[in-house]
Amino acid sequence: MPYFFLSKTVYRQLVNGLITLMLLLPLSVHAQQNPIKYVNPFVGTGGHGHTYPGATVPHGMVQLSPDTRLTGWDGCGGYHYDDNFIYGFSHTHLSGTGVSDYGDILLMPGSGKPSPDNKVYGSAFSHTKEKASPGYYEVHLDDDNIDAEFTVTERAGMHHYRFDGNNNNFILLDLKHRDEVIASSLKIVNDSTITGLRRSKAWAVDQYVYFAIRFSVPIKTIQVWQNDVLTNGRGNSFEGNNIKAAFLFDTKQPADLYVKVGISAVDEKGALNNLDTEIPHWDFNEVRKQAEQKWNENLASIIVKGDEEKKKIFYTALYHTAIVPNLYTDVDKRYRGRDNQIHTAEDNTNYTVFSLWDTYRATHPLYTIIDKQRTLDYINSFLTQYKQGGRLPVWELAANETECMIGYHAVPVIVDAYMKGITNFDTKLALEAMVHSANLDHFGLMAYKGKGMIESDDEQESVSRTLEYAYDDWCIATFAKEIGDMKVYKEFISRAQNYKNVLDLSTGFMRPRKNGDWLTPFEPREVNNNYTEANSWQYSFYMPQDIQGYLQMTGGRLALEKKLDALFSAEDKTTGREQSDITGLIGQYAHGNEPSHHIAYLYNYAGRSAKAVEKIHFIMNNFYSNTPDGLIGNEDCGQMSAWYVMSALGFYPVTPGATFFDIGAPAFEEVKIRIGDGYFTINAPGVSDKKKYVSSFQVNFGKDSILITEVLPNTVIQTGASINFIMTDDSAESRSIIFAAGNKIPDENFVINPVLHGGNISFKNSRKTSISCNTSGAEIYYTTDGKTPSISSKKYAAPFIIDKSTTLKAIAIKGNNSSKIVTAEYKKMVHDWEVKLNTAFEPMYAAGGADGLIDGIKGEVEWRKGNWQGYQKNDMDVIVDFKKLQVVKSVSVNFLQDTRAWIVMPSEVSLLFSNDGKNFRDFAVIKSTVLIDDLEANTHLLSFSVPSVKARFVRIIAKQYGKLPAWHESAGGDTHIFVDEIVVE
């Protein structure tokens, strides 16, 4: 259906792109703009933003920035505003990630006697003598009274150091700095040039950075340390895993020293070529001027008019969206591929650093408007990685797949671009790559394909994976239909509805499944291993591909409004696991992490746009500011900032892959977005924090005006029209149309999986089991002998009793369509023993409750799937009651250690016996011999050999290790004890 009212003739012209812009502005507008003056690179360097303030150009290979923090979560970008000590200046940095890497090729100036100790060669500094702007950074190093400034090109960095008060000046190169070095080398080419390699292992498990360094004055003396031991200085070539070197210069006071550094992932020749091609001279100011011009041109893709402080926030956000992804192609078109081989790019430029779980949501949709050529390059980079590495990227970094985060979110980036008119790529190869990546048998995909859902013991983060796979599958279906492959479309449009298999209509939440049932206990505020950096509240609104279908299932727009109100008004505290990513809470909405980013816009689908506007403006005004703490959560390679940019424009991509954007409310009086040779203009006269509601809006094409009622089609933007918002300060005057244009999957044949209400696997005597299905009119058929159910199997009519070990399988059938088969295993316990817990376990690590410790079902090393009982802060204190006196010959208890996840072996385990359950006698104590710094996740069995003790009760007490040690990235945190199973012979 059309998204707004207009004549069929005008609408047809619009869709075909035949209307030309009537109100073109000359491109000289850009020359008159200086948007970089509004950018503050220090935004996000405080709090948990994880950005860096140093010099880079749009999507450049080099990020030349100071390193002030070497470890810890808030050191992921290498810099934190709370610090006052600089270790040096390295040439690669990640922007706003939650895992650390990069920090390659660190240089540091000094005076006096060089030292390989970074605490000695580093220097104190003050923010009062520190400045940053796009493409430029400067700081005064207090310890040696050195002024330092930096600027960059795409593939090279330029340093300027001004020494004062000492003639023994040097530059120190530290190739050991930061992550684990696999191999490194240093070659003295001549008296002013050095080259080398740093090959390292961190988040990217095999990263190559070749470098070439030129000094503006000849080197007088070279000192080289290997393993922090000074060598004899002979030779021009050095290799090893810990190389540091000092280059001393015969300079007069005061003295200026310039350094140029080129990098490459290909070889030393590539680094030299990059350096000499991009900075063939020693004119620092010229390099800086060119960097600033590149930023001005990039940022001038959007020109905003309005509040000056908001412009600073806006352009800083736009700046952050243009830092990543990063160029990964040398000037001669060579690059390192996903197969670790050297290739030559042909028609496109190769890029790296794809944080796709974050950036598919708003960052890449923003690029489809303002950066079409790079969008095409990104897609071709994806397809090249598929050909070289066998799959589309998930979270690719420096030609390495990190396997970080979930889904296959290269898919929505490709599909969204295609649906927005960026189509000049190999669509046949793209579909092949999408289908291949969606059919791999890893990360729960085998269960997802076979069962239409992932259960908690199939794979960790089971609910989030099910939901995000389903959305990606809708994107594949959409693309397949567009290019005419109806076979793929039918397969994936069905998979796109799998979100319904984890939607519990009785609670209204997306909920974990286990053993065919809903996992209990269930607390929607609980952060646990069934969700990705979130909880059920935050993931229960994730069905962007089928919002109308969701409404139909859950009671319509009024029910949605009520659910959204409950989200935003809930207690703003989570339970369960500590999750540092969950910040910016409004009730249970968490703006500091990506799963919540589209939710405020869902009020449109409830016909309550005023509430959407209120939440959007609150987030913009309270969670973004022009300060180091100006981001409420990780920047995440542009996504946190892209949310602000899109929302400030007045529209947002709730469903990337759709042909429209969802309307919010603009933050500026006038916006001009560069579209080809013209502009798409957004007008909102009088908009303010008070006058924020939209009463109506219309699109103008020269003389033609069109009243929009629902969404903003991409074609309106691309044809260079103007859109006029009529603003009001009265929420009652806000548009309140019933939003019907959202995505609805046109498939009435999907049958939702039945739910087997039988609970945990183990039971003692008997249990009542029932089966339900949320598809109206479906009939359920089941078997209890493990055979495949069909329409000829027993038809479910009423609850039934299970009193022996049973494999229950069920299927729901409606007409010619059926659900996936759902299976439950029920295991009758050998003993009728009882377990008493003197200390409470953590609810999210229940392992089936108290009896889970003796049910014969052992936990796996991959503990996130469940079946482990967890204790934190409290010791574990468990009593097993045999119901009568027994001769005990041995007792064994299985524990888990995964130190990185805070799960540590108990310091000691005590065994006690009793005949009456009150008076216990000590038997033995076993002290753990597993060291806490044993970082490999593994199970450890502690066994007590008992010389035929007669007792009715056995008691096991496991003492907590205590606080995590200082070297741990979460030092001071309370350790967990994970236990399962207790075996008594």
Side-chain angles (χ1 to χ4, degrees):
M1 63 178 293
Y3 301 123
F4 44 81
F5 300 118
L6 69 169
S7 70
K8 292 182 179 179
T9 301
V10 173
Y11 182 73
R12 189 178 300 114
Q13 289 175 329
L14 172 62
V15 173
N16 293 332
L18 299 178
I19 296 179
T20 57
L21 180 65
M22 299 293 182
L23 301 174
L24 285 177
L25 292 178
L27 285 181
S28 61
V29 166
H30 298 297
Q32 299 167 13
Q33 302 294 330
N34 186 32
I36 66 169
K37 69 182 181 181
Y38 294 106
V39 175
N40 179 3
F42 289 108
V43 168
T45 60
H48 302 308
H50 297 185
T51 62
Y52 59 86
T56 190
V57 294
H59 303 283
M61 183 183 293
V62 169
Q63 308 88 36
L64 178 47
S65 189
D67 288 342
T68 68
R69 189 167 296 195
L70 307 181
T71 59
W73 188 61
D74 282 329
C76 289
Y79 178 100
H80 198 277
Y81 200 80
D82 289 351
D83 301 332
N84 57 14
F85 187 87
I86 290 176
Y87 293 98
F89 305 92
S90 62
H91 291 74
T92 61
H93 291 84
L94 293 174
S95 180
T97 61
V99 183
S100 64
D101 207 322
Y102 279 15
D104 300 287
I105 321 303
L106 180 130
L107 296 180
M108 186 65 179
S111 298
K113 182 179 180 180
S115 168
D117 185 344
N118 60 11
K119 295 181 180 63
V120 176
Y121 71 67
S123 174
F125 77 104
S126 168
H127 294 306
T128 61
K129 296 181 180 180
E130 182 186 34
K131 295 180 182 178
S133 60
Y136 178 78
Y137 174 83
E138 70 172 87
V139 69
H140 180 79
L141 301 173
D142 294 341
D143 289 1
D144 290 321
N145 196 30
I146 299 171
D147 289 320
E149 61 177 347
F150 309 87
T151 189
V152 292
T153 61
E154 277 78 6
R155 302 169 179 87
M158 192 167 187
H159 308 226
H160 174 208
Y161 300 113
R162 186 170 182 81
F163 298 92
D164 186 25
N166 193 313
N167 197 40
N168 298 314
N169 301 319
F170 63 85
I171 300 294
L172 190 137
L173 168 66
D174 188 345
L175 296 180
K176 177 67 174 176
H177 172 71
R178 204 147 161 101
D179 51 16
E180 179 183 347
V181 176
I182 299 174
S184 64
S185 64
L186 176 64
K187 184 185 301 180
I188 313 302
V189 177
N190 55 43
D191 66 355
S192 61
T193 304
I194 62 173
T195 60
L197 164 69
R198 184 175 192 273
R199 185 180 172 198
S200 60
K201 176 182 181 181
W203 195 6
V205 296
D206 193 1
Q207 181 206 1
Y208 288 77
V209 181
Y210 292 92
F211 62 91
I213 303 176
R214 291 198 195 279
F215 300 103
S216 60
V217 297
I219 303 169
K220 178 183 178 181
T221 306
I222 300 175
Q223 296 180 6
V224 178
W225 293 268
Q226 291 188 296
N227 298 320
D228 291 337
V229 176
L230 189 65
T231 67
N232 57 20
R234 296 178 181 177
N236 293 323
S237 183
F238 305 88
E239 294 183 353
N241 293 344
N242 182 1
I243 297 176
K244 300 171 187 176
F247 306 96
L248 290 82
F249 302 91
D250 186 8
T251 53
K252 297 179 181 179
Q253 327 172 12
D256 291 286
L257 175 66
Y258 294 89
V259 186
K260 299 187 293 187
V261 181
I263 64 171
S264 167
V266 176
D267 53 27
E268 292 177 21
K269 176 184 175 183
L272 274 168
N273 194 23
N274 289 340
L275 173 59
D276 291 338
T277 300
E278 294 191 346
I279 315 181
H281 52 75
W282 290 102
D283 191 337
F284 182 92
N285 289 331
E286 178 62 24
V287 177
R288 178 183 177 182
K289 179 181 176 182
Q290 291 175 0
E292 290 175 343
Q293 287 175 341
K294 290 171 184 175
W295 275 116
N296 267 327
E297 181 180 354
N298 181 280
L299 299 175
S301 60
I302 304 177
I303 303 299
V304 299
K305 177 183 177 182
D307 181 87
E308 288 294 296
E309 191 64 20
K310 287 185 178 179
K311 287 168 75 172
K312 294 175 183 178
I313 299 170
F314 178 87
Y315 278 113
T316 300
L318 188 60
Y319 166 81
H320 279 138
T321 69
I323 288 178
V324 185
N326 297 123
L327 181 69
Y328 209 57
T329 310
D330 287 354
V331 292
D332 61 5
K333 295 294 186 180
R334 294 186 302 156
Y335 67 94
R336 184 173 296 275
R338 275 286 289 112
D339 55 2
N340 211 18
Q341 302 300 307
I342 305 305
H343 302 268
T344 299
E346 297 176 358
D347 299 327
N348 65 287
T349 302
N350 194 54
Y351 285 84
T352 188
V353 189
F354 290 107
S355 180
L356 295 168
W357 182 83
D358 307 288
T359 57
Y360 85 87
R361 302 167 195 266
T363 317
H364 282 282
L366 175 64
Y367 297 153
T368 67
I369 301 172
I370 64 173
D371 208 342
K372 294 181 177 61
Q373 181 55 53
R374 281 199 183 90
T375 294
L376 188 58
D377 283 337
Y378 300 152
I379 292 171
N380 283 317
S381 295
F382 297 166
L383 299 181
T384 298
Q385 289 189 32
Y386 165 67
K387 289 188 289 185
Q388 295 170 352
R391 58 189 287 208
L392 290 171
V394 176
W395 213 123
E396 182 272 344
L397 172 61
N400 290 257
E401 178 52 69
T402 67
E403 308 287 6
C404 190
M405 308 312 293
I406 64 174
Y408 21 94
H409 292 314
V411 169
V413 174
I414 297 170
V415 176
D416 187 59
Y418 186 86
M419 300 301 288
K420 302 284 176 56
I422 302 172
T423 60
N424 190 25
F425 57 89
D426 189 335
T427 56
K428 183 178 179 181
L429 177 64
L431 183 61
E432 174 192 312
M434 293 182 206
V435 172
H436 174 81
S437 296
N439 283 320
L440 294 170
D441 288 333
H442 63 177
F443 302 136
L445 270 172
M446 182 178 290
Y448 174 80
K449 291 182 293 181
K451 300 193 293 189
M453 61 185 180
I454 302 171
E455 295 188 275
S456 63
D457 48 4
D458 293 322
E459 183 73 21
Q460 60 175 303
E461 302 170 7
S462 59
V463 177
S464 297
R465 290 182 191 274
T466 299
L467 296 174
E468 298 204 27
Y469 288 155
Y471 163 69
D472 288 343
D473 289 342
W474 173 82
C475 291
I476 295 173
T478 298
F479 187 79
K481 187 176 183 180
E482 285 293 313
I483 67 173
D485 193 327
M486 295 308 293
K487 180 180 179 182
V488 171
Y489 166 76
K490 289 178 181 178
E491 175 186 355
F492 282 88
I493 203 65
S494 179
R495 284 173 52 157
Q497 297 177 80
N498 283 337
Y499 78 89
K500 298 174 182 177
N501 291 327
V502 293
L503 174 56
D504 179 11
L505 293 182
S506 68
T507 63
F509 288 99
M510 302 291 184
R511 186 173 170 184
R513 300 280 299 266
K514 183 172 184 177
N515 204 39
D517 201 350
W518 301 113
L519 180 63
T520 56
F522 173 69
E523 163 57 71
R525 294 180 301 140
E526 184 177 271
V527 179
N528 57 44
N529 294 311
N530 296 297
Y531 303 92
T532 302
E533 297 181 0
N535 60 21
S536 183
W537 265 118
Q538 291 141 24
Y539 258 105
S540 289
F541 298 92
Y542 189 88
M543 59 296 147
Q545 73 275 25
D546 192 27
I547 298 172
Q548 299 298 332
Y550 168 85
L551 288 176
Q552 185 176 337
M553 287 183 65
T554 55
R557 62 189 184 91
L558 294 178
L560 175 60
E561 179 187 8
K562 183 178 179 181
K563 189 76 173 178
L564 289 167
D565 288 346
L567 168 77
F568 285 105
S569 63
E571 182 184 7
D572 63 349
K573 292 181 181 179
T574 61
T575 64
R577 186 182 67 219
E578 294 182 31
Q579 183 70 50
S580 51
D581 297 89
I582 299 177
T583 55
L585 286 166
I586 310 173
Q588 285 295 302
Y589 174 92
H591 192 72
N593 213 17
E594 281 66 24
S596 291
H597 275 192
H598 69 294
I599 294 177
Y601 288 87
L602 294 181
Y603 271 117
N604 285 336
Y605 295 82
R608 293 291 183 266
S609 62
K611 288 186 176 182
V613 169
E614 288 164 1
K615 297 299 184 291
I616 293 164
H617 272 261
F618 179 89
I619 293 166
M620 286 195 289
N621 291 336
N622 290 274
F623 293 159
Y624 296 85
S625 66
N626 182 31
T627 65
D629 291 345
L631 294 173
I632 201 67
N634 297 166
E635 168 58 21
D636 284 322
C637 296
Q639 172 57 29
M640 192 65 63
S641 290
W643 185 96
Y644 185 92
V645 171
M646 296 294 289
S647 295
L649 297 178
F651 53 91
Y652 189 84
V654 168
T655 310
T659 57
F660 58 84
F661 296 90
D662 294 80
I663 296 292
F668 295 99
E669 293 180 89
E670 182 183 78
V671 177
K672 294 184 181 300
I673 303 175
R674 186 169 56 204
I675 303 295
D677 293 333
Y679 292 90
F680 170 61
T681 304
I682 302 167
N683 296 304
V687 65
S688 67
D689 288 340
K690 184 178 180 182
K691 198 175 182 179
K692 59 191 175 186
Y693 302 102
V694 177
S695 63
S696 64
F697 49 96
Q698 63 184 24
V699 172
N700 297 324
F701 297 94
K703 297 179 181 179
D704 294 307
S705 295
I706 306 160
L707 180 65
I708 295 182
T709 60
E710 295 182 354
V711 295
L712 177 62
N714 180 65
T715 47
V716 169
I717 299 173
Q718 299 305 325
T719 49
S722 65
I723 181 170
N724 296 324
F725 287 89
I726 308 303
M727 309 304 296
T728 178
D729 59 3
D730 188 350
S731 63
E733 295 178 4
S734 178
R735 66 191 185 103
S736 58
I737 55 95
I738 299 174
F739 192 21
N743 286 301
K744 184 181 189 308
I745 295 177
D747 186 359
E748 303 299 330
N749 298 323
F750 187 83
V751 181
I752 301 171
N753 283 355
V755 179
L756 312 183
H757 303 283
N760 296 319
I761 295 176
S762 60
F763 67 100
K764 289 181 179 177
N765 299 309
S766 65
R767 67 164 33 148
K768 180 184 286 188
T769 301
S770 62
I771 311 175
S772 65
C773 178
N774 283 331
T775 297
S776 177
E779 296 180 329
I780 301 169
Y781 297 86
Y782 70 97
T783 62
T784 55
D785 56 4
K787 293 183 179 179
T788 301
S790 66
I791 199 167
S792 60
S793 303
K794 188 172 183 179
K795 183 178 178 180
Y796 176 76
F800 53 93
I801 300 297
I802 289 177
D803 57 6
K804 62 181 180 180
S805 294
T806 300
T807 299
L808 173 65
K809 294 188 175 185
I811 190 170
I813 299 175
K814 183 177 181 180
N816 295 323
N817 303 295
S818 63
S819 70
K820 299 291 187 180
I821 295 172
V822 179
T823 301
E825 296 286 346
Y826 301 122
K827 181 177 180 180
K828 189 170 183 177
M829 294 171 63
V830 175
H831 306 286
D832 65 347
W833 300 346
E834 290 185 356
V835 175
K836 178 185 176 183
L837 304 179
N838 290 328
T839 53
F841 56 74
E842 300 169 80
M844 60 181 170
Y845 306 124
D851 287 341
L853 294 178
I854 58 170
D855 62 5
I857 303 165
K858 294 183 178 180
E860 303 175 39
V861 173
E862 182 42 84
W863 54 270
R864 295 170 181 86
K865 294 181 179 180
N867 296 328
W868 286 94
Q869 198 170 95
Y871 297 81
Q872 189 182 33
K873 297 184 180 178
N874 298 322
D875 296 334
M876 183 198 86
D877 188 346
V878 174
I879 297 174
V880 180
D881 180 2
F882 307 133
K883 300 288 187 73
K884 59 182 179 181
L885 288 175
Q886 300 272 20
V887 175
V888 179
K889 297 181 180 179
S890 68
V891 177
S892 61
V893 191
N894 200 34
F895 295 96
L896 175 81
Q897 177 156 306
D898 186 353
T899 301
R900 288 190 178 93
W902 302 26
I903 304 167
V904 178
M905 285 289 291
S907 59
E908 63 180 42
V909 179
S910 301
L911 177 65
L912 304 89
F913 290 105
S914 173
N915 291 342
D916 60 8
K918 297 179 180 178
N919 300 299
F920 284 88
R921 55 189 183 275
D922 296 335
F923 176 77
V925 176
I926 298 178
K927 294 187 180 296
S928 174
T929 59
V930 181
L931 300 177
I932 191 172
D933 57 3
D934 181 352
L935 299 181
E936 184 175 353
N938 220 329
T939 60
H940 301 276
L941 187 68
L942 298 185
S943 297
F944 295 87
S945 179
V946 181
S948 300
V949 171
K950 199 168 188 179
R952 175 178 167 176
F953 299 91
V954 61
R955 184 178 183 182
I956 300 164
I957 301 173
K959 297 284 187 180
Q960 289 282 358
Y961 176 89
K963 302 290 185 181
L964 291 166
W967 56 261
H968 197 281
E969 65 177 9
S970 300
D974 294 302
T975 58
H976 300 258
I977 289 174
F978 268 34
V979 58
D980 189 75
E981 155 113 354
I982 297 172
V983 177
V984 181
E985 298 290 344

